[in-house]
Amino acid sequence: NAGVTQTPKFRVLKTGQSMTLLCAQDMNHEYMYWYRQDPGMGLRLIHYSVGEGTTAKGEVPDGYNVSRLKKQNFLLGLESAAPSQTSVYFCATGPFYNEQFFGPGTRLTVL
Amino acid sequence: QQQVKQSPQSLIVQKGGISIINCAYENTAFDYFPWYQQFPGKGPALLIAIRPDVSEKKEGRFTISFNKSAKQFSLHIMDSQPGDSATYFCAPGGGNNRKLIWGLGTSLGVNP
C-alpha cells in the first residue's frame, strides 16, 4: 500500500501560471485536507473534504480551488500563481477529523 | 485569532534529559488532543494523542499530560535522544470543527 502520495514532488512556476497538485490515497479514508507550511507559520489549512463530492474552505482558501470527484483523489488547483504561494504543500487523509496521515509534500516555488 | 498557543518555540536538551512542550487552547469543545512529530523534509506524523476523559497517557518515552480546567496539555519526552530532534506540533480538535487546529510548532534539538 502506498498510503498517501502527492504529485509532483517539486515544481517551479512563473507568476500567473496555473497548476494542479494531486493527492491520492489508498487508505479508503473519507476526510482529506490540503495544508501549506511556511517557516514560522506552522500548518495552515487551505481546503478540506469530508467525503467524495464535498469540499469546504479552510483558513487560507484564497487563490486556490479544490475538487474531490473520486474518494481516493483530492486535487488542489492554483489558477494564477503568485509569489506568495511559494510554500510546501501537504495533503493529509483520515477516517475522521482526528487522526491524519500526511503525504510527503510538494515544494512549490513561484517566481 | 490564535486558538492554540504552543511553547516554547524552540528547545535544546542534552541526551538523556527530559523535553517538555506545552500547548494552551481556548475552545472548550475540543475533545481530541494530539501531538505530531515532523522530521525535516517529511510530512507530520501522529506521535501520541489523548481524549479528555483521562489526565495522562504514556507510550514508551512519550507522555501526554492533560489539564482540562487550565485548558492545557503537554508533551513530555523522557530520556531524550538525538533521534528525537524534530519539530513537534500540538493540534487539538473536535466540537463543531471537523478539522484540527494547529500550533506553530516547537523545534527540538537533542545534543549527543
Side-chain angles (χ1 to χ4, degrees), chain B residues 11-99:
Chain B
L11 178 64
I12 296 177
V13 300
Q14 294 299 119
K15 179 182 176 181
I18 301 174
S19 305
I20 301 175
I21 305 171
N22 301 298
C23 187
Y25 62 94
E26 298 176 1
N27 190 337
T28 55
F30 287 159
D31 62 3
Y32 180 73
F33 303 91
W35 286 96
Y36 279 76
Q37 180 187 56
Q38 184 180 28
F39 293 106
K42 304 291 186 181
L46 179 64
L47 181 64
I48 187 171
I50 197 169
R51 293 282 185 182
D53 53 340
V54 295
S55 60
E56 187 174 283
K57 181 178 181 179
K58 182 177 181 179
E59 291 184 357
R61 296 184 294 108
F62 302 93
T63 299
I64 289 184
S65 296
F66 177 69
N67 187 329
K68 187 174 182 178
S69 61
K71 293 187 289 184
Q72 293 181 350
F73 64 109
S74 60
L75 174 68
H76 296 238
I77 305 176
M78 310 299 289
D79 187 26
S80 298
Q81 299 297 312
D84 298 329
S85 297
T87 300
Y88 293 82
F89 294 94
C90 64
N96 292 328
N97 293 316
R98 286 184 285 187
K99 48 188 181 291

Side-chain angles (χ1 to χ4, degrees), chain A residues 31 33 35 37 40-43 45 48 50 90 96-100 102-104, chain B residues 31-32 36 38 41-44 46 51 89 93-94 97-100 102-104:
Chain A
Y31 287 63
Y33 304 83
Y35 293 93
Q37 186 173 36
M41 300 293 289
L43 285 157
L45 183 63
Y48 65 104
V50 300
F90 286 103
F96 195 46
Y97 73 88
N98 43 17
E99 184 174 6
Q100 296 185 12
F102 282 77
Chain B
D31 62 3
Y32 180 73
Y36 279 76
Q38 184 180 28
K42 304 291 186 181
L46 179 64
R51 293 282 185 182
F89 294 94
N97 293 316
R98 286 184 285 187
K99 48 188 181 291
L100 301 176
W102 293 78
L104 295 182

